[in-house]
Amino acid sequence: MVHAQKIMRILRESRDYSQEYVANILNINQKTYSNLESGKSKLTIDRIHQLADFYHVKPDYFLAEELPIINYNTGNYSRSIIAARIYNENKDAPDKLYERIIDEKDIQIKFLINELEALKKEKNELLSLVRNLGTKINK
């Protein structure tokens, strides 16, 4: 859990959540949450599961050896930021950072293509239902 506290902070800040808000979700006070995020208190497995559920990530996300790539979706634009860069880590390897961004974007593109296909299928099914209902109503 080398980076668990940083990951907690990155996830919270990427969503513009306050420590108080996340603490309320976890049913703890803000000071307790602050101690978890700063590393003053130990992060338990149960707390990792709570955070994973809240942020919709797998629990092992908090146990990663590398800091994650976080996708900031903020309205009309979206960008991926590598957390390591925010924390001034891996300064000597910008090519690796860019490769991680590209890999993350490829994953996002595949996900969005699959989601688009599912939405098209759902739209066609709904149109078919509407046509069938219209036919039955007109009879």
Side-chain angles (χ1 to χ4, degrees), residues 111-137:
F111 172 79
L112 291 171
I113 288 170
N114 290 337
E115 188 146 321
L116 181 61
E117 292 302 317
L119 288 171
K120 285 179 182 178
K121 182 179 176 184
E122 187 176 331
K123 178 190 100 176
N124 289 335
E125 290 171 357
L126 288 172
L127 286 173
S128 178
L129 283 172
V130 169
R131 285 187 197 111
N132 289 339
L133 284 174
T135 303
K136 287 180 181 181
I137 292 172

Side-chain angles (χ1 to χ4, degrees), residues 12-136:
R12 179 180 58 78
E13 289 178 349
S14 72
R15 289 161 173 81
D16 288 330
Y17 295 155
S18 67
Q19 285 186 345
E20 185 175 11
Y21 176 75
V22 178
N24 286 334
I25 297 295
L26 300 177
N27 292 318
I28 59 177
N29 66 44
Q30 183 273 327
K31 181 67 176 164
T32 302
Y33 181 84
S34 177
N35 287 339
L36 288 170
E37 197 173 272
S38 68
K40 291 179 184 174
S41 295
K42 292 192 180 218
L43 194 58
T44 65
I45 298 298
D46 288 337
R47 192 69 69 204
I48 287 173
H49 282 283
Q50 284 181 308
L51 288 163
D53 287 344
F54 175 64
Y55 288 117
H56 305 289
V57 297
K58 293 179 180 178
D60 61 352
Y61 196 77
F62 294 92
L63 307 174
E65 291 293 322
E66 293 183 350
L67 288 170
I69 296 172
I70 303 293
N71 185 37
Y72 291 78
N73 289 312
T74 54
N76 295 330
Y77 61 96
S78 173
R79 64 193 188 281
S80 286
I81 303 294
I82 293 195
R85 190 157 185 184
I86 292 171
Y87 289 95
N88 296 322
E89 295 179 12
N90 298 324
K91 286 182 182 178
D92 299 329
D95 291 344
K96 289 183 182 180
L97 294 175
Y98 294 127
E99 286 174 18
R100 287 180 65 200
I101 290 173
I102 290 168
D103 290 345
E104 178 64 21
K105 287 296 182 186
D106 288 343
I107 290 168
Q108 291 173 2
I109 289 168
K110 287 178 187 175
F111 172 79
L112 291 171
I113 288 170
N114 290 337
E115 188 146 321
L116 181 61
E117 292 302 317
L119 288 171
K120 285 179 182 178
K121 182 179 176 184
E122 187 176 331
K123 178 190 100 176
N124 289 335
E125 290 171 357
L126 288 172
L127 286 173
S128 178
L129 283 172
V130 169
R131 285 187 197 111
N132 289 339
L133 284 174
T135 303
K136 287 180 181 181

